[in-house]
Amino acid sequence: MTDKTQSTEGAVSEYVTAMIGGQLFGLPISRVQDVFMPERLTRVPLSSSEIAGVLNLRGRIVTVVDMRARLGLPKNDDGKPPMAVGVDLRGESYGLLIDQIGEVLKLNDDGREENPVNLDPRMAKLAGGVHRLDGQLMVVLDVDRVLEIVPDLLAA
């Protein structure tokens, strides 16, 4: 499955949308493996605060990344259980912990803009551009950048 299709107007990309801290994000559909409710999350001792833990998903060990922590946002206190978007990077499985999953959007590539200069720096370092939608901004997440988590012990 590809995230690009040709239309009469030009190239079109498909995004799975997600809400994190009240902000709309889009993940390229080609990078999304599945969407699931994380259950029985096991904390990893001495891991970064951005790592929520690990879980077993259909026989695979999945590292779960807390997107709120990754974006420098406070913990969610609305009482709703989080969801996760499953992605792969170099053969390893990851789950991105989000507040809420949205719909799949098909957007023209020529509508994608560079990150605005006033975009929060924590979002900007994980974003691969933005799309202006009706009354809101969808930040396109660059999955590779999101998963660039270097443990503090290795960085020292």
Side-chain angles (χ1 to χ4, degrees):
M1 178 167 38
T2 180
D3 65 336
K4 297 211 184 269
T5 56
Q6 290 291 78
S7 71
T8 54
E9 305 89 47
V12 173
S13 294
E14 292 182 273
Y15 300 95
V16 175
T17 60
M19 292 296 285
I20 306 168
Q23 173 62 50
L24 181 67
F25 290 90
L27 290 103
I29 200 167
S30 63
R31 298 299 303 267
V32 175
Q33 304 295 315
D34 51 15
V35 175
F36 59 95
M37 299 286 287
E39 295 177 14
R40 296 201 316 255
L41 205 55
T42 304
R43 287 283 308 150
V44 178
L46 303 177
S47 69
S48 156
S49 63
E50 297 172 351
I51 303 297
V54 294
L55 57 82
N56 184 329
L57 182 66
R58 294 185 285 282
R60 291 191 76 178
I61 299 300
V62 176
T63 302
V64 180
V65 177
D66 184 341
M67 287 303 297
R68 281 180 161 267
R70 191 78 178 97
L71 292 164
L73 300 172
K75 289 199 177 296
N76 195 358
D77 58 2
D78 66 4
K80 294 180 186 170
M83 298 194 71
V85 177
V87 297
D88 273 12
L89 180 67
R90 293 188 285 278
E92 293 293 321
S93 296
Y94 296 89
L96 306 180
L97 215 53
I98 60 169
D99 296 341
Q100 182 180 343
I101 195 72
E103 58 192 339
V104 173
L105 295 180
K106 289 184 181 183
L107 301 172
N108 287 329
D109 286 350
D110 57 8
R112 185 170 170 168
E113 302 173 23
E114 294 293 320
N115 294 340
V117 294
N118 60 349
L119 186 64
D120 183 301
R122 295 168 297 192
M123 282 186 201
K125 73 178 183 181
L126 304 178
V130 297
H131 277 279
R132 294 181 196 277
L133 306 177
D134 295 331
Q136 68 184 130
L137 194 67
M138 182 186 83
V139 177
V140 177
L141 281 177
D142 182 322
V143 175
D144 293 335
R145 288 190 211 161
V146 168
L147 297 176
E148 283 176 1
I149 299 174
V150 179
D152 295 333
L153 296 175
L154 295 178

